[in-house]
Amino acid sequence: MFGSSNTGFGSGGGSLFGGASSTGTGNHNPMKDIEVTPPPGDSISVIKFSPPTIPNTFLIAGSWDNIVRCWEIQQTGQTVPKTQQVHAGPVLDVAWHDDGTKVFTASCDKTAKMWDLRSDQAIQVAQHDAPIKSIHWIKSPNYSCIMTGSWDKTLKFWDTRSAQPMMTLQLPERCYCADVVFPMAVVGTAGRHILIYRLDDNQPVEFKRMESPLKYQHRCVSIFKDTKKNTPVGFALGSIEGRCAIQFVQAANPKDNFTFKCHRNNGASSSYQDIYAVNSIAFHPEHGTLATAGSDGKFSFWDKDARTKLKTSEQMLQPIISCDFNAQGNIFGYAVGYDWSKGHDYYDSKKKELHLSPRKRNR
């Protein structure tokens, strides 16, 4: 699948699931999860597992050292570094092509690239007037394109064969987060705006515009499906206030929409709480349960239908920036690094890690 010109980066691969050697790097690893090695040179901004259309499992990570990296996760659990590409600025988002042969990357250098993993070549496919915060691949029966959301307050759709966008939509504010599960796209912007788009016509069409159900700035959004019909019906939204919202696009009952507190700790005094941002949300591909990752250095699993918390992790020494499930749902990945929420004094360049947590299939 990969070209032979660049088959690895850094030192060799990681270790085995359940093996003692898997946690021998000296990092804080209270749950004895598998560490992906070598870690990036700066904080990771996003991780994404490969789609189910390819037999092997690969993990892509974009980071603030301007590099996007790829590892193969072998069935034994060993992590093998495969290849990497470089932007001129920090990488803020990545997305897979549905056939698993290409990766799209979005950067603070105001460009997006298409990375062909077979030839190991990357070409620019999008341009904005400000950093690109989100990127997604859209595969419609009538068209295929990438969707980019930027801090220049625009949402653009690109045919990768053309230097000009197929469509440019003006956003009310800067794009902070977005997700796509065909035929739905959800975009969250500054100013607590939420925009929902339909993608199943001949071109993307705005379906609904609403104010965020959360009071403070949102940080992440993830679309969920109706588990019986396997179609997208709503989204989970996370904010800097340690709170998530479960929102149906067309709720049968308004009470189906709700918010819940998460990623909060009791402070030194019982009169207040330490409240942390929700940095990432991921839905399990089979069960529909969700994971949230926060700046408190923990991740939690939730059952949104039963409105209950299933489990909370041990605390890491740094915030958890991004999380994702692999296509089969038996591996949960999470990236640990500094999010600058406490300023320069708390930055430690050595404390950045990428972990894989095997999940039991019957959970």
Side-chain angles (χ1 to χ4, degrees), residues 262-314:
C262 54
H263 301 287
R264 300 183 176 204
N265 297 328
N266 291 327
S269 168
S270 59
S271 61
Y272 69 90
Q273 282 186 315
D274 293 326
I275 299 175
Y276 298 88
V278 183
N279 293 322
S280 185
I281 300 174
F283 280 91
H284 191 280
E286 181 181 347
H287 304 307
T289 51
L290 69 145
T292 62
S295 290
D296 58 347
K298 297 178 182 179
F299 60 83
S300 296
F301 298 114
W302 310 81
D303 184 333
K304 68 174 177 57
D305 300 319
R307 302 191 182 188
T308 57
K309 182 193 291 186
L310 302 175
K311 183 180 180 181
T312 296
S313 71
E314 299 292 330

Side-chain angles (χ1 to χ4, degrees), residues 167-241:
M167 176 186 291
T168 299
L169 300 176
Q170 203 65 37
L171 297 173
E173 252 291 356
R174 290 154 292 168
C175 176
Y176 278 176
C177 56
D179 194 23
V180 169
V181 176
F182 187 82
M184 181 193 297
V186 178
V187 178
T189 74
R192 300 174 52 244
H193 300 284
I194 302 291
L195 298 96
I196 303 167
Y197 298 91
R198 285 189 57 175
L199 308 174
D200 53 352
D201 296 318
N202 290 324
Q203 63 182 17
V205 176
E206 184 177 323
F207 175 76
K208 188 176 183 179
R209 187 176 294 212
M210 58 181 286
E211 186 179 78
S212 170
L214 303 176
K215 295 181 180 180
Y216 297 94
Q217 179 191 112
H218 37 243
R219 180 66 61 85
C220 54
V221 66
S222 184
I223 294 173
F224 60 83
K225 296 181 179 181
D226 181 314
T227 53
K228 295 180 180 179
K229 299 180 181 179
N230 199 36
T231 55
V233 292
F235 56 90
L237 188 70
S239 77
I240 62 170
E241 62 175 309

